[in-house]
Amino acid sequence: MMPSAAFSNSPAADALESDPAKMSWMVGSPPPPERIIRFEDGSYFQYPQMRWSVAHFRELMPTTNVSRGIGAPNTLERSLQAGIDEVSFVPMGSDRPMTWRDSLLANYTDGIVVLHKGRVVYERYFGALKPEGQHAAMSVTKTFVGTLAAMMVADGTLDPDRKVVEYVPELGKSAFGSATVRQLMDMTTGIRFSENYADPKADVWAHAAAGNPLPKPKDYTGPRSYYEFLQTVQPEGVHGEAFHYRTANTDALGWVMARVSGKSVAQLLSECIWSKLGAEQDAYMTVDSTGTPFAGGGLNAGLRDLARFGEMIRNDGQYNGQQVLPKAAVDDIRRGASKEFFAKAGYPLLTGWSYHDMWWHTHNEHGAFMARGVYGQALYIDPKAEAVIARFASHPVAANAANDATSLPAYDAVAKYLMSR
Amino acid sequence: MMPSAAFSNSPAADALESDPAKMSWMVGSPPPPERIIRFEDGSYFQYPQMRWSVAHFRELMPTTNVSRGIGAPNTLERSLQAGIDEVSFVPMGSDRPMTWRDSLLANYTDGIVVLHKGRVVYERYFGALKPEGQHAAMSVTKTFVGTLAAMMVADGTLDPDRKVVEYVPELGKSAFGSATVRQLMDMTTGIRFSENYADPKADVWAHAAAGNPLPKPKDYTGPRSYYEFLQTVQPEGVHGEAFHYRTANTDALGWVMARVSGKSVAQLLSECIWSKLGAEQDAYMTVDSTGTPFAGGGLNAGLRDLARFGEMIRNDGQYNGQQVLPKAAVDDIRRGASKEFFAKAGYPLLTGWSYHDMWWHTHNEHGAFMARGVYGQALYIDPKAEAVIARFASHPVAANAANDATSLPAYDAVAKYLMSR
């Protein structure tokens, strides 16, 4: 679920001051009125309440389960490396080095797990997250959806070159209808969809209102579900010429996949990934009033299960004693896409990157690629260093640029540290 | 959550006709409008939609997790006994025998597991329930709460002889204030709380409106949470003279336990039971708008985990290689209570029974005792036969009397069959 009120970007109290336990959100029987967080007034998505909400979405709104099945979880072996805390790096735009340890508070980390050659070498929790607990993945959700789409392409059930309208006729009059499935998967569609959270008229708010599971206000005349919203999306620009990061692409892709498979994105996630990973916890997705999971950002998962997913991708789809995803799907994911298209989107901190199958590709010397969520959620895979970093966070600023300076160089520094061991 | 509209007791289509898969509830992307089930209009709780809802509560409303932890589940050994299907019994009020197999459709069973000496001897699923899936336990929730209370009494953190007002001063002006904790636990309080679902003015609807997590209507002036509602409950009759089955007692008990422990009923369930049982799935509870779990009926759980809980109780609190509950707590549960008090409640099918620690005691020759939910949910423990029967169901008639005729003698017949093997 997206919020129904504007993001709050007030100056940040530091990570310790805004710790949800210190702020006593929802503590007491009942909690004092000023410490109750509600969905209906949008306060749940404002800082600092949001730091509690990211680990408690299901307590605020309806959700659908992503079952891990009922068997034994896969065991994550541990081989902790105390030296990681002292790894030093220089934040982007700074000339003063910072340690890994200090970076975790600087970017409001809620939990972080580092795997090296499949073993846990580092694991810490902060804020409202615990090992047994799920955290909002936000746009990391997109990467799971893109990965499932790559799987369906690899097994022949989805043709990336076909037009969206051929799969979902209801999208024929929208800007999506004339796009190809591949253009959805790489977000190179030409659609009008502003994600400027600071603008109350941005399309992202109409999208959020449509997907809001609460009863609609009496005077509400807009679309009443994610699928209804998608049918209203207008064209802007040309398909297939540039990368434009637009959440609605993932929702449209999720609709295509549901239509092709007869299963919701949440069901696909459970059947094709969660139940095969040896996950230790179920995950869940937020849903709209018609039961459609929010493909663009509704996943909530355990941190260690996110790490397992990353390790499976690092191992070409093989994990937990089985081929979870076809190798061809992971090969396609690893391929990346056009840096030229990406450059047109204008991310000053991400020079030389590309976006493919809803993964972000650094194209650095290690071939690292990653999933990214708006509050600093990340799944970073460094193939050369044989490292996977899974991170949940709740940075007060809703933009990756606020996180990247203290996280991207930190990931790279830890990967290099691990290679040197 | 209790419904916000009256129960529907229309004549039942049979169990196969009303199967949620056959009715295609919530199937499609999107489902056709007439196949969408919503929380806000109360349709989710009407038959036959309710047969889908009981396995999908979390998709309709906010819920809080009851974590099993992240370790490996306890293994349920299997030793299936095909002969159980042919076990025959005579339903109450009938003179024609019925087989166990036929009873399962007759009483709208969604899933049933029979354990004998801890091994699964029978397991079947119907309707919307699958092994990996959770089902509304409804009033079986009360038994979990009563069991936790018995645990807190056994370990000395809760004094059953103290007045409720001493633990929760806010209840001082309500009928609960002058009752003892023991009277809550055995439902012998003298309170006014009608649970006649057919009467739209019954207190149970005011209770449901207070606990409804949706934003309150503008003209709503009643209590806005379970805790606010409990403070309005008026006296009727005298404490400690008779058993009166009133859901509000369990909610008041949950409040006492939350105040004493600093933890919600859902947290207590996770810490003291779910994480120790070796459960294979998390459970969850519905919550009101202040985050309070519905202690009187909000638990949703996997069927096999319900069976594990029963097996733990049958083994005097020992299970999964540890003493999950103190033996003294289970000893107290097994003690039962006054048959005389129980008889005053007037259950014609339950002659000679009693109610203690929120368990129903048959006082039959096997000393069987059980948990009971309004649609036929049951956890039946037969100590002499070393048998545990866990059952979820969605009978169209919201009253145990509709289930008892084809279930109570069936449980007894299967227990005797197992003893004879």
Side-chain angles (χ1 to χ4, degrees):
Chain A
M1 264 306 303
M2 297 295 295
S4 52
F7 278 71
S8 164
N9 286 345
S10 61
D14 75 24
L16 294 175
E17 285 298 313
S18 64
D19 186 290
K22 178 155 188 189
M23 302 211 69
S24 298
W25 299 119
M26 298 298 270
V27 173
S29 50
E34 73 280 8
R35 285 292 177 259
I36 292 179
I37 294 176
R38 295 179 195 271
F39 178 69
E40 62 193 76
D41 61 11
S43 65
Y44 81 103
F45 224 63
Q46 287 167 4
Y47 179 84
Q49 291 94 319
M50 172 274 286
R51 298 205 68 202
W52 179 88
S53 303
V54 288
H56 296 272
F57 266 36
R58 67 176 293 167
E59 295 165 45
L60 298 164
M61 61 194 92
T63 56
T64 189
N65 198 41
V66 176
S67 174
R68 67 173 200 94
I70 57 178
N74 152 285
T75 300
L76 282 179
E77 302 291 342
R78 293 173 78 80
S79 178
L80 298 181
Q81 305 246 4
I84 290 177
D85 267 330
E86 308 307 327
V87 170
S88 179
F89 66 95
V90 178
M92 294 169 170
S94 168
D95 51 11
R96 296 177 54 180
M98 176 183 268
T99 62
W100 170 266
R101 182 201 285 117
D102 289 345
S103 76
L104 303 182
L105 285 179
N107 55 33
Y108 296 79
T109 299
D110 290 331
I112 190 151
V113 166
V114 181
L115 303 184
H116 186 222
K117 301 180 181 176
R119 288 168 170 266
V120 176
V121 293
Y122 192 90
E123 180 172 10
R124 285 193 73 185
Y125 296 88
F126 305 84
L129 187 64
K130 296 190 166 46
E132 67 288 0
Q134 296 112 331
H135 192 288
M138 303 296 291
S139 291
V140 170
T141 311
K142 296 180 173 72
T143 304
F144 280 92
V145 175
T147 300
L148 287 170
M151 176 198 75
M152 292 171 75
V153 168
D155 68 20
T157 54
L158 193 59
D159 181 347
D161 298 323
R162 281 179 72 182
K163 294 270 195 303
V164 169
V165 66
E166 298 179 51
Y167 287 112
V168 183
E170 296 97 313
L171 285 173
K173 290 182 180 163
S174 80
F176 292 113
S178 55
T180 64
V181 170
R182 168 51 61 201
Q183 287 160 348
L184 290 183
M185 290 170 72
D186 289 358
M187 293 215 196
T188 60
T189 54
I191 64 169
R192 194 166 76 212
F193 188 80
S194 159
E195 288 197 60
N196 178 2
Y197 292 113
D199 173 9
K201 291 189 176 171
D203 303 286
V204 69
W205 298 120
H207 177 256
N212 189 318
L214 291 179
K216 300 284 184 275
K218 283 214 173 105
D219 57 352
Y220 180 85
T221 57
R224 307 179 80 84
S225 66
Y226 290 122
Y227 290 158
E228 285 191 18
F229 172 83
L230 293 172
Q231 298 172 58
T232 70
V233 172
Q234 296 300 306
E236 185 174 277
V238 179
H239 296 317
E241 290 193 350
F243 168 59
H244 300 290
Y245 185 80
R246 304 279 184 259
T247 292
N249 284 305
T250 316
D251 289 303
L253 181 61
W255 196 356
V256 169
M257 292 160 63
R259 189 57 62 78
V260 168
S261 68
K263 291 166 184 168
S264 76
V265 164
Q267 290 170 314
L268 289 170
L269 258 180
S270 172
E271 291 182 19
C272 304
I273 297 180
W274 234 257
S275 65
K276 295 183 177 174
L277 273 184
E280 63 196 23
Q281 294 190 79
D282 291 350
Y284 66 85
M285 295 187 76
T286 59
V287 293
D288 71 11
S289 67
T290 66
T292 299
F294 176 26
L299 181 69
N300 295 255
L303 180 64
R304 293 156 53 92
D305 290 332
L306 179 61
R308 285 181 169 93
F309 172 72
E311 183 65 11
M312 180 270 289
I313 296 290
R314 188 183 76 77
N315 285 292
D316 298 321
Q318 203 162 37
Y319 192 67
N320 193 34
Q322 62 188 310
Q323 192 73 33
V324 175
L325 292 179
K327 181 169 183 301
V330 182
D331 286 346
D332 186 69
I333 288 167
R334 285 172 181 266
R335 205 163 283 142
S338 160
K339 296 180 190 178
E340 182 198 335
F341 282 10
F342 188 90
K344 294 180 185 173
Y347 289 92
L349 299 183
L350 309 182
T351 308
W353 288 39
S354 74
Y355 189 84
H356 183 57
D357 292 340
M358 306 207 172
W359 287 86
W360 300 78
H361 289 263
T362 70
H363 295 286
N364 68 9
E365 73 271 29
H366 286 194
F369 54 106
M370 68 183 298
R372 291 157 63 83
V374 72
Y375 292 121
Q377 299 97 326
L379 178 61
Y380 185 86
I381 300 175
D382 184 324
K384 191 165 176 193
E386 302 172 274
V388 169
I389 301 174
R391 174 178 177 239
F392 283 135
S394 48
H395 196 289
V397 179
N400 274 114
N403 279 281
D404 286 340
T406 57
S407 65
L408 295 180
Y411 300 155
D412 190 50
V414 161
K416 284 174 176 155
Y417 171 83
L418 292 170
M419 281 181 77
S420 73
R421 300 294 294 171
Chain B
M1 265 308 302
M2 295 297 296
S4 52
F7 278 72
S8 164
N9 285 345
S10 61
D14 74 23
L16 295 176
E17 285 298 313
S18 64
D19 185 291
K22 177 156 188 187
M23 302 211 70
S24 299
W25 300 119
M26 298 298 271
V27 174
S29 51
E34 73 280 8
R35 285 292 177 257
I36 292 179
I37 294 177
R38 294 178 197 273
F39 178 69
E40 63 193 77
D41 60 11
S43 66
Y44 80 104
F45 223 63
Q46 287 166 5
Y47 179 83
Q49 291 94 318
M50 171 273 287
R51 298 205 69 203
W52 179 88
S53 304
V54 287
H56 297 272
F57 266 35
R58 67 177 293 166
E59 295 165 44
L60 298 165
M61 60 193 93
T63 57
T64 189
N65 199 40
V66 176
S67 173
R68 67 174 199 92
I70 56 178
N74 152 285
T75 300
L76 282 178
E77 302 291 341
R78 293 173 78 80
S79 177
L80 297 182
Q81 304 246 4
I84 290 176
D85 267 330
E86 308 308 325
V87 170
S88 179
F89 66 94
V90 178
M92 294 169 169
S94 166
D95 52 11
R96 296 178 53 181
M98 175 181 269
T99 63
W100 171 266
R101 181 201 286 115
D102 289 345
S103 76
L104 303 182
L105 286 178
N107 54 34
Y108 296 79
T109 299
D110 290 330
I112 190 152
V113 166
V114 181
L115 303 183
H116 186 222
K117 301 179 181 176
R119 288 168 169 267
V120 176
V121 293
Y122 192 89
E123 181 172 10
R124 286 192 72 184
Y125 296 88
F126 306 84
L129 187 63
K130 297 191 165 47
E132 66 289 358
Q134 295 114 329
H135 192 287
M138 305 294 293
S139 291
V140 169
T141 310
K142 296 180 173 73
T143 305
F144 281 91
V145 175
T147 301
L148 286 170
M151 175 199 76
M152 293 171 75
V153 168
D155 68 21
T157 54
L158 193 60
D159 180 348
D161 298 323
R162 280 180 74 183
K163 293 272 196 301
V164 170
V165 66
E166 298 178 52
Y167 288 112
V168 184
E170 297 97 313
L171 285 173
K173 289 181 182 164
S174 79
F176 293 112
S178 54
T180 65
V181 170
R182 168 51 61 201
Q183 288 160 348
L184 289 184
M185 290 171 71
D186 290 359
M187 293 215 196
T188 59
T189 54
I191 63 169
R192 195 166 76 210
F193 188 80
S194 160
E195 288 196 60
N196 178 2
Y197 292 112
D199 172 9
K201 292 189 175 171
D203 303 286
V204 69
W205 298 120
H207 177 256
N212 189 316
L214 292 179
K216 299 287 184 273
K218 283 214 172 105
D219 57 353
Y220 180 85
T221 56
R224 307 179 79 85
S225 67
Y226 290 122
Y227 290 158
E228 285 191 19
F229 172 83
L230 293 172
Q231 296 172 58
T232 70
V233 172
Q234 296 300 307
E236 185 175 278
V238 179
H239 298 316
E241 291 194 348
F243 168 58
H244 300 289
Y245 185 80
R246 304 278 185 261
T247 291
N249 283 305
T250 316
D251 289 302
L253 180 60
W255 196 356
V256 169
M257 292 159 61
R259 189 57 63 78
V260 168
S261 68
K263 292 168 185 168
S264 76
V265 164
Q267 289 170 314
L268 290 170
L269 259 180
S270 172
E271 289 180 21
C272 304
I273 297 180
W274 234 258
S275 65
K276 295 183 176 175
L277 274 184
E280 62 195 24
Q281 294 190 80
D282 291 350
Y284 66 85
M285 295 187 76
T286 58
V287 292
D288 71 11
S289 67
T290 65
T292 299
F294 176 27
L299 181 68
N300 295 255
L303 180 64
R304 292 157 52 92
D305 290 332
L306 179 61
R308 285 181 169 93
F309 172 72
E311 183 66 9
M312 180 271 288
I313 296 291
R314 188 183 77 76
N315 286 292
D316 297 321
Q318 203 163 36
Y319 193 66
N320 194 34
Q322 62 187 310
Q323 193 73 34
V324 175
L325 291 180
K327 180 169 185 300
V330 183
D331 286 346
D332 185 69
I333 288 168
R334 285 173 182 267
R335 206 163 282 141
S338 161
K339 296 180 191 178
E340 181 198 336
F341 283 9
F342 189 90
K344 293 179 185 173
Y347 290 92
L349 299 182
L350 309 182
T351 308
W353 288 40
S354 75
Y355 189 85
H356 183 56
D357 292 341
M358 305 208 172
W359 287 86
W360 300 78
H361 289 263
T362 70
H363 296 287
N364 68 10
E365 74 270 30
H366 286 193
F369 54 107
M370 69 184 296
R372 293 156 62 82
V374 72
Y375 293 121
Q377 299 96 325
L379 178 61
Y380 185 88
I381 300 175
D382 184 325
K384 191 166 177 191
E386 301 171 276
V388 169
I389 301 174
R391 174 180 177 238
F392 283 134
S394 48
H395 196 290
V397 179
N400 273 114
N403 278 281
D404 286 341
T406 57
S407 64
L408 295 181
Y411 301 154
D412 190 51
V414 161
K416 285 175 175 155
Y417 170 83
L418 291 171
M419 282 182 78
S420 73
R421 301 294 295 172

